[in-house]
Amino acid sequence: MVTAPSARRSDNLLLIAAREPVPGSTKTRLGRAIGMEAAATLYRAFLSDLAARFTPPALAIEPLYDLGWAYTPSACDFARVLAGLESGPPSDPGIHLVPQQGSDWGARQANLLRWGRDAGYQRTVLTASDSPQMSLDVVLDAFRELERHEVVLGRVADGGYYLIGVSGPYDVLESVPMSTASAAAGVLQRTAALGLRAAEVAATFDIDEAEDLEHLRRFCVRSTDEVPATAAAIRKLGR
């Protein structure tokens, strides 16, 4: 069990689930197609763009949300990972670093959502780090939906989801099959079974397989300024 942070400046918590960008341990399905070193380099670019977009301004008196990085493996020095990103070290010392704990992804998600509640946050949004194009507007929409609903979800095209949020002590992940085409539907079914209200934010794509790179390449061409590190890594790959 991790210890809740002492500093809380907002009622909203954004947790970004991230993996240490080590070749052979990160984006391995993608790595089998483009090489493990290339996959880890691309994923590091994802982290850089997400950090640049979602790190709250250090001088914000009332930030829209507090930020936490939920990292794995738990033994890694994730502060060092953040400091080594192209976007530079996080400017806000109030950022939480939370090791993922649990035997599988479903358990780790449930523990992270519970961590947000135990830390005193009214609304916790957890997102993956496989969608570097995810916008700030989508995250803010998720927090707004949680003012009127107990659960919020953001889908990806393969039937999974890239974002989940709760506004209370609700276990909406019990018995939901993770990493399957029925994951998002399973969360919504579980939510309904508990008598809770759910909302959805805009769907997007994530990067797991080589064929997903074409979606990312097209986004980078039209929106390079939004994902500069990722766009540079895609150009280096020749994709």
Side-chain angles (χ1 to χ4, degrees):
M1 182 67 65
V2 295
T3 302
S6 58
R8 182 173 64 82
R9 298 189 297 164
S10 172
D11 290 331
N12 299 326
L13 173 66
L14 172 63
L15 287 173
I16 302 177
R19 180 173 287 275
E20 185 181 21
V22 174
S25 299
T26 302
K27 308 304 296 178
T28 53
R29 281 186 288 169
L30 179 62
R32 285 192 285 270
I34 68 173
M36 295 298 178
E37 186 74 39
T41 297
L42 181 61
Y43 180 68
R44 182 181 291 273
F46 292 2
L47 297 181
S48 184
D49 286 330
L50 292 170
R53 186 175 310 124
F54 290 111
T55 300
L59 299 180
I61 303 301
E62 296 183 2
L64 298 172
Y65 56 83
D66 288 353
L67 175 64
W69 289 91
Y71 63 90
T72 189
S74 59
C76 81
D77 184 354
F78 203 76
R80 183 176 180 181
V81 172
L82 291 176
L85 298 177
E86 291 183 28
S87 55
S91 58
D92 188 342
I95 291 175
H96 308 307
L97 298 180
V98 187
Q100 295 182 28
Q101 297 182 346
S103 58
D104 56 37
W105 178 223
R108 293 196 297 272
Q109 289 180 84
N111 286 336
L112 289 168
L113 293 173
R114 188 178 302 113
W115 186 91
R117 183 187 74 240
D118 291 347
Y121 290 98
Q122 294 183 18
R123 293 166 286 275
T124 299
V125 167
L126 171 65
T127 182
S129 49
D130 303 317
S131 302
Q133 77 287 349
M134 182 180 61
S135 71
L136 176 60
D137 285 344
V138 163
V139 168
L140 297 182
D141 283 346
F143 284 123
R144 282 191 287 267
E145 292 293 355
L146 287 176
E147 294 177 1
R148 303 185 296 272
H149 303 82
E150 288 81 28
V151 180
V152 66
L153 200 70
R155 297 181 188 246
V156 291
D158 64 3
Y161 55 91
Y162 70 97
L163 179 150
I164 185 170
V166 294
S167 61
Y170 312 117
D171 184 0
V172 295
L173 297 173
E174 182 179 345
S175 302
V176 174
M178 293 294 124
S179 303
T180 69
S182 60
V187 171
L188 295 178
Q189 289 168 5
R190 169 71 175 163
T191 299
L194 293 173
L196 304 175
R197 298 166 296 175
E200 296 191 45
V201 292
T204 191
F205 61 89
D206 60 1
I207 307 300
D208 286 321
E209 309 278 359
E211 52 264 32
D212 299 327
L213 290 176
E214 180 57 24
H215 298 293
L216 184 59
R217 185 197 65 79
R218 289 199 297 265
F219 183 88
C220 290
V221 167
R222 66 177 183 269
S223 305
T224 299
D225 291 346
E226 295 181 33
V227 286
T230 299
I234 288 288
R235 288 194 297 270
K236 187 174 181 180
L237 283 175
R239 299 253 171 186

